[in-house]
C-alpha cells in the first residue's frame, strides 16, 4: 500500500486528486492519504477518510512532519496563486520558494538518515507562467524560461530545485507545467487567469460574468479532470526517460476568448453568452500579455500525458463533473 501526501490538499485540484486516489488507488495499488492545507472542505462519506493536517506550509514544523511521515509519493500543489503573488511579493516568495526549499531540505535529511534508501517520488505542480515573451507560434520543449511575473519566477526556481535535488538522488522528482485549469468549479480565487473560468462557469449557472480582456486573447487550457490525470500519471511513470530534464510542458487546448465564447454558445445557447459583460481591466491585461498562448508538448505526449481535444469538450466535462450532467434551468 502506497503512502501518499498531498500538499495543498484542501484546494480544488488537491481535493479532486485526493478523491480520485481514495476511490481508485495509485499506480494499481491502494493508498493511504495524508492531506496538508490551511483548511479543508467536507470529505465524502462514501470514500475512505484521509488524515488531514492544518497548518502554514512555510512553517518549519510542517516540513519536519512531512519528512517524519516519509510518504512514498508527494504531490506539491501548495502555492500562492498568480495574482496574489504579484500583489503580495513577500508572501509569494515565502510560500512558493522558501517553503519548498525547507521541504526539500527535510526530505534530503530523511534520505541521508535512511542510508539513501528513502527517495520519494515528488510531483511538483509548476505552471506555464515560467515562460515569457517574445513567444514563437508554438512553444516547444526547448524554449527557455524567462518569466515576467513573480509567480512565474517562483515556479521556475521551484523547478530548478526539484531538478537539482533529483540529480543528487535525494528525491525522484518531476515538475509538470500545468495549463490554466478551466473550468474551475466553485468561487473565483485570486488568480489573474480566473476570468477564463468565470466567463463559462457563471453563465452556465445563470449568473453574469465579467470579461476583462479582449476577445482576441489566446491561451492554453486543460480541465480539472485532465489535471488529475497529469498528476497521477507523473506519479507512476518511469522518470528515467526524462534524464536530467525534469520539467515537462503538459498538453492542452489553445484557443482565443472568442473561441471559448463560441463553444459556450454551441453548448448552452445565446442566453448564456448574453450573461458575459465586457469590462476592460488594464492590470489583468498587462499580466495576460506576458503569458504563453500555444504549445507543442512533444515530450509529454510521448510519455502518455493527455488532455482534451477542444474547448467544447472542456465545457462538457465541467457540466458532467460539476453540474450533474445538465445545465441548470
Amino acid at each position: 500500500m502506497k503512502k501518499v501526501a498531498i500538499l495543498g490538499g484542501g484546494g480544488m485540484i488537491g481535493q479532486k486528486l485526493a478523491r480520485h486516489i481514495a476511490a481508485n488507488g495509485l499506480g494499481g495499488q491502494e493508498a493511504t492519504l495524508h492531506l496538508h492545507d490551511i483548511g479543508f472542505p467536507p470529505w465524502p462519506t462514501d470514500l475512505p477518510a484521509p488524515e488531514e493536517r492544518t497548518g502554514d506550509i512555510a512553517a518549519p514544523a510542517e516540513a519536519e512532519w512531512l519528512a517524519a511521515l516519509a510518504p512514498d509519493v508527494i504531490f506539491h500543489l501548495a502555492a500562492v496563486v498568480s495574482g496574489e503573488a504579484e500583489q503580495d511579493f513577500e508572501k509569494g516568495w515565502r510560500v512558493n520558494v522558501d517553503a519548498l526549499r525547507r521541504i526539500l531540505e527535510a526530505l534530503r535529511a530523511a534520505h541521508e538518515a535512511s542510508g539513501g534508501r528513502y527517495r520519494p517520488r515528488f510531483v511538483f505542480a509548476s505552471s506555464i507562467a515560467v515562460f515569457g515573451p517574445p513567444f514563437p507560434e508554438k512553444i516547444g520543449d526547448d524554449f527557455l524560461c524567462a518569466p515576467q511575473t513573480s509567480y512565474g519566477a517562483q515556479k521556475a526556481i521551484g523547478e530548478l530545485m526539484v531538478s537539482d535535488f533529483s540529480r543528487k538522488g535525494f528525491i525522484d522528482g518531476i515538475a509538470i507545467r500545468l495549463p490554466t485549469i478551466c473550468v474551475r468549479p466553485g468561487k473565483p480565487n485570486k488568480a489573474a487567469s480566473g476570468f477564463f473560468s468565470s466567463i463559462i462557469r457563471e453563465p452556465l449557472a445563470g449568473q453574469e460574468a465579467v470579461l476583462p480582456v479582449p476577445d482576441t486573447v489566446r491561451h492554453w487550457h486543460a480541465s480539472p479532470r485532465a489535471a488529475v490525470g497529469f498528476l497521477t500519471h507523473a506519479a507512476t511513470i518511469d522518470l528515467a526517460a526524462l534524464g536530467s530534464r525534469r520539467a515537462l510542458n503538459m498538453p492542452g487546448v489553445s484557443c482565443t476568448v472568442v473561441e471559448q465564447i463560441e463553444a459556450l454558445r454551441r453548448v448552452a445557447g445565446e442566453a448564456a453568452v448574453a450573461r458575459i459583460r465586457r469590462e476592460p481591466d488594464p492590470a489583468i491585461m498587462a499580466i495576460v500579455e506576458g503569458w504563453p498562448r500555444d504549445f507543442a508538448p512533444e515530450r509529454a505526449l510521448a510519455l502518455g500525458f493527455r488532455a482534451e481535444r477542444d474547448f467544447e469538450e472542456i465545457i462538457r466535462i465541467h457540466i458532467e463533473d460539476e453540474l450533474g450532467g445538465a445545465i441548470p434551468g
Side-chain angles (χ1 to χ4, degrees), residues 46-304:
D46 61 337
L47 292 176
E51 176 195 281
E52 295 177 346
R53 180 179 173 93
T54 302
D56 179 355
I57 194 64
E62 307 314 300
E64 294 167 2
W65 160 80
L66 182 67
L69 181 66
D72 301 298
V73 179
I74 300 165
F75 294 97
H76 192 294
L77 312 181
V80 172
V81 294
S82 55
E84 187 176 10
E86 199 66 21
Q87 294 164 11
D88 192 334
F89 187 80
E90 189 279 332
K91 183 178 181 182
W93 283 89
R94 182 177 66 84
V95 174
N96 294 348
V97 176
D98 297 345
L100 176 59
R101 170 67 188 276
R102 186 172 286 119
I103 287 165
L104 292 175
E105 285 290 357
L107 295 174
R108 177 173 71 90
H111 169 83
E112 292 174 347
S114 73
R117 292 183 301 276
Y118 179 60
R119 185 171 178 253
R121 174 64 57 93
F122 193 92
V123 181
F124 176 61
S126 188
S127 167
I128 58 174
V130 300
F131 299 114
F135 298 119
E137 184 176 341
K138 287 181 181 286
I139 291 176
D141 293 317
D142 296 327
F143 191 67
L144 80 166
C145 292
Q148 299 296 301
T149 64
S150 293
Y151 176 75
Q154 292 151 14
K155 286 296 186 180
I157 290 169
E159 290 183 4
L160 290 172
M161 286 196 287
V162 169
S163 179
D164 199 41
F165 276 69
S166 297
R167 180 183 66 84
K168 297 292 286 186
F170 307 138
I171 61 171
D172 186 21
I174 177 173
I176 59 172
R177 294 167 179 152
L178 296 174
T180 287
I181 302 304
C182 185
V183 178
R184 297 182 68 93
K187 296 180 180 180
N189 62 14
K190 295 183 180 180
S193 59
F195 69 88
F196 287 118
S197 287
S198 65
I199 62 171
I200 305 298
R201 180 185 59 233
E202 271 68 69
L204 287 174
Q207 301 168 8
E208 186 179 76
V210 172
L211 175 60
V213 303
D215 285 3
T216 53
V217 166
R218 176 176 291 277
H219 198 56
W220 187 244
H221 304 276
S223 73
R225 187 190 293 179
V228 169
F230 299 156
L231 290 161
T232 54
H233 194 56
T236 55
I237 61 173
D238 183 356
L239 298 186
L242 295 181
S244 60
R245 298 175 61 193
R246 292 293 180 120
L248 280 176
N249 300 329
M250 290 293 99
V253 173
S254 176
C255 65
T256 62
V257 168
V258 73
E259 287 169 339
Q260 281 188 267
I261 293 171
E262 288 306 309
L264 177 65
R265 193 190 313 274
R266 290 192 297 272
V267 173
E270 294 292 340
V273 171
R275 299 184 184 110
I276 300 172
R277 175 167 54 87
R278 286 162 173 79
E279 189 175 297
D281 184 327
I284 296 294
M285 286 190 281
I287 293 174
V288 171
E289 283 175 358
W291 286 349
R293 302 172 179 88
D294 201 356
F295 286 80
E298 294 177 5
R299 292 179 74 213
L301 291 171
L303 287 167

